[in-house]
Amino acid sequence: MKLKNKRLLCVIEAIKAHKRGEILADIGTDHAYLPCFLYNHHIIKKAYACDIAEGPLSSSKQTIQETQADGVEALLGDGLDPIVEKQVDMIAICGMGGLLMSQILDAHVSMLEDHLFFLQANTAIDLLREYLEKHNMAIIDEYNVKDAHHIYEVIVAQKGSNVHYTKEDLIFGPVLRKQKNALFYEKWERILNTQNKILAQMDPTHDKYGEVVSYKQMIEQELKKA
């Protein structure tokens, strides 16, 4: 099975680097590309492809059949519901908003205790990091990847103790801001440019003006740090 989706390939690299156990659950799987690829490349021995809607689940079953990924099982259900009674070592949740992902995790908080998580949020990733911190989930690694002009971030998290992140950690990523690779600069220079445009058109008396200025200054300071 070949996979051209750079975002999912980045998640796969994260799973290969931090693999724990042999069974993965992919939540919001859509077409089941991720679990089928992992199974067919012998990275895992079993997977559950989970989705809340019949349409994506049907697509998942088709992918499973076409790729002959016999060790991948498609399950219908909301969030983590389908795997509550299943033996699972790793959980991947990708391609959703950070707030929705936090809600999915919050519906089964007990599952945070003994699973390794691979999380890729399309939006509000700072809120997702804030949720992880609140529940003592340590971010043990982070990845970024550019796909179709968008820069995505992948978080690897597990249960920790006394987890604490600064405001900068939550926004920029505790690992990513230490690495500061080319994609990190590209993403935040782009966002900084957007903030400058917003300020240029914003009335200084606007309630949010000071907030935008503070955010802009935080980005500038982060980009200056070696």
Side-chain angles (χ1 to χ4, degrees):
M1 177 186 180
K2 293 184 178 180
L3 191 60
K4 295 182 179 180
N5 187 307
K6 294 179 181 178
R7 177 178 61 87
L8 289 182
L9 286 171
C10 182
V11 178
I12 288 164
E13 287 305 309
I15 292 172
K16 287 168 65 177
H18 296 277
K19 178 186 167 187
R20 181 188 301 164
E22 300 290 349
I23 306 173
L24 172 90
D26 184 28
I27 309 302
T29 192
D30 197 8
H31 289 80
Y33 293 143
L34 177 67
C36 287
F37 183 97
L38 291 167
Y39 177 78
N40 284 331
H41 285 77
H42 311 292
I43 299 167
I44 57 174
K45 292 183 179 178
K46 185 172 180 60
Y48 297 104
C50 309
D51 211 286
I52 192 174
E54 288 282 3
L57 198 74
S58 178
S59 297
S60 297
K61 290 177 180 178
Q62 184 176 347
T63 302
I64 293 168
Q65 183 178 11
E66 289 176 352
T67 61
Q68 299 181 333
D70 299 334
V72 180
E73 182 180 351
L75 299 176
L76 181 68
D78 187 4
L80 301 176
D81 288 354
I83 59 167
V84 170
E85 302 297 328
K86 304 289 185 182
Q87 180 183 345
V88 174
D89 304 304
M90 302 171 287
I91 297 174
I93 311 177
C94 308
M96 306 179 195
L99 181 58
L100 176 57
M101 292 171 70
S102 299
Q103 292 169 344
I104 287 173
L105 296 174
D106 207 44
H108 294 281
V109 178
S110 62
M111 296 187 75
L112 298 176
E113 292 290 336
D114 52 3
H115 293 88
L116 182 63
F117 288 84
F118 299 90
L119 309 170
Q120 181 268 302
N122 290 348
T123 59
I125 196 165
D126 57 326
L127 296 182
L128 177 58
R129 290 191 184 104
E130 188 175 334
Y131 176 87
L132 294 173
E133 178 191 29
K134 179 182 176 182
H135 290 84
N136 270 322
M137 294 292 288
I139 296 173
I140 60 174
D141 209 351
E142 292 179 303
Y143 297 75
N144 54 12
V145 62
K146 188 175 183 180
D147 193 357
H149 307 292
H150 190 87
I151 297 173
Y152 298 96
E153 297 177 359
V154 178
I155 293 172
V156 184
Q158 65 181 12
K159 195 67 177 182
S161 60
N162 299 317
V163 175
H164 173 72
Y165 295 117
T166 65
K167 184 177 181 180
E168 289 79 7
D169 287 335
L170 297 175
I171 293 173
F172 302 106
V175 177
L176 291 172
R177 67 188 295 244
K178 289 179 181 177
Q179 297 173 341
K180 283 192 169 66
N181 61 16
L183 286 178
F184 179 92
Y185 284 102
E186 182 177 342
K187 172 183 176 176
W188 288 104
E189 284 169 358
R190 186 188 302 173
I191 293 175
L192 178 60
N193 185 49
T194 300
Q195 299 307 305
N196 284 326
K197 289 179 179 178
I198 291 171
L199 283 174
Q201 299 174 1
M202 202 173 192
D203 187 335
T205 62
H206 193 283
D207 291 345
K208 297 289 185 180
Y209 188 84
E211 185 178 317
V212 177
V213 169
S214 296
Y215 185 44
K216 168 184 174 294
Q217 291 174 342
M218 181 186 297
I219 297 171
E220 288 173 335
Q221 286 300 313
E222 191 66 33
L223 292 176
K224 286 178 183 177
K225 294 177 182 177

